[in-house]
Amino acid sequence: DKQVFDAALQVTTPKDELLIGTVVGTKEEEGEAKARVETKQWHAAESDRKPSTMVWVNNKAGEELTTQSKYTGANYLIMGSHGKGGLKRAVLGSVSDHCVRHCEIPVMVVHRMSPLSDAEKPLNFVVALDGSELGARILETVQDLARPQDKVTAVMVVHKEEDRADAEKTLKMITANSD
């Protein structure tokens, strides 16, 4: 949870509104969840950020986060991943997978081992481009999020050597237009 909050601090500015939320499956879990959210709000206060907090009860967390990100007018959804794998993930599904596929806004998934604890440390963003207008808009969004000390690298993957020259030309054009 702290890593997700730190990631949110790194990719937002003090003028951005933060909403800290959690989704629980039952009413019985709501009290404990509210206590966790209040702890996160206290951590935010230490960093001079004043987020709103919410706890939603829905046994389909992915659906709830997708709905709430739209309802609240969020610009980004930043969430953690519990790292479920194999059979458990296949049976239960993945909340982050659902959000990545269904949210209409950019979703940042912070993995448990992500090195995001130092808010001053420069970040290195890698943006995969495919030559589309959407890819160019994603690059612009990442460049808007990046701080002066951060690095943004745009990449394109080609499957045939003969496509390399066209890809490099497209990449230069897109990156030149987004500066």
Side-chain angles (χ1 to χ4, degrees):
D1 289 347
K2 182 179 182 321
Q3 287 176 309
V4 174
F5 182 75
D6 288 344
L9 290 180
Q10 285 184 321
V11 298
T12 59
T13 66
K15 65 179 171 51
D16 294 324
E17 181 180 338
L18 290 178
L19 171 64
I20 296 175
T22 192
V23 180
V24 295
T26 65
K27 274 290 206 192
E28 292 76 32
E29 297 171 296
E30 191 173 15
E32 181 185 323
K34 284 183 179 179
R36 283 195 322 264
V37 167
E38 287 172 8
T39 301
K40 292 176 194 175
Q41 189 173 26
W42 174 79
H43 180 65
E46 286 183 338
S47 65
D48 297 327
R49 301 298 291 273
K50 305 294 182 225
S52 304
T53 58
M54 294 291 298
V55 175
W56 301 287
V57 178
N58 184 333
N59 64 353
K60 296 185 178 178
E63 289 179 13
E64 188 66 29
L65 289 168
T66 301
T67 299
Q68 291 301 329
S69 65
K70 190 171 191 172
Y71 175 77
T72 60
N75 293 321
Y76 305 97
L77 173 59
I78 302 170
M79 60 188 306
S81 171
H82 295 289
K84 281 187 251 166
L87 184 61
K88 193 172 188 180
R89 183 178 190 169
V91 172
L92 299 176
S94 165
V95 175
S96 58
D97 283 350
H98 179 89
C99 292
V100 166
R101 286 179 172 69
H102 297 285
C103 275
E104 296 175 4
I105 57 173
V107 177
M108 178 181 185
V109 180
V110 179
H111 296 275
R112 190 176 303 158
M113 300 304 289
S114 295
L116 293 171
S117 59
D118 185 358
E120 299 302 315
K121 183 179 178 186
L123 298 176
N124 184 14
F125 294 92
V126 176
V127 182
L129 300 176
D130 60 3
S132 69
E133 185 178 321
L134 175 61
R137 286 198 334 256
I138 292 167
L139 179 61
E140 289 173 14
T141 299
V142 171
Q143 288 174 324
D144 288 344
L145 286 173
R147 304 162 301 170
Q149 69 266 33
D150 296 336
K151 178 181 178 184
V152 178
T153 304
V155 298
M156 289 184 82
V157 176
V158 294
H159 299 284
K160 300 178 205 161
E161 184 61 36
E162 57 263 22
D163 295 335
R164 178 189 293 272
D166 286 341
E168 287 174 349
K169 189 168 125 181
T170 301
L171 193 56
K172 284 181 184 175
M173 183 182 69
I174 291 171
T175 56
N177 289 339
S178 64
D179 286 339

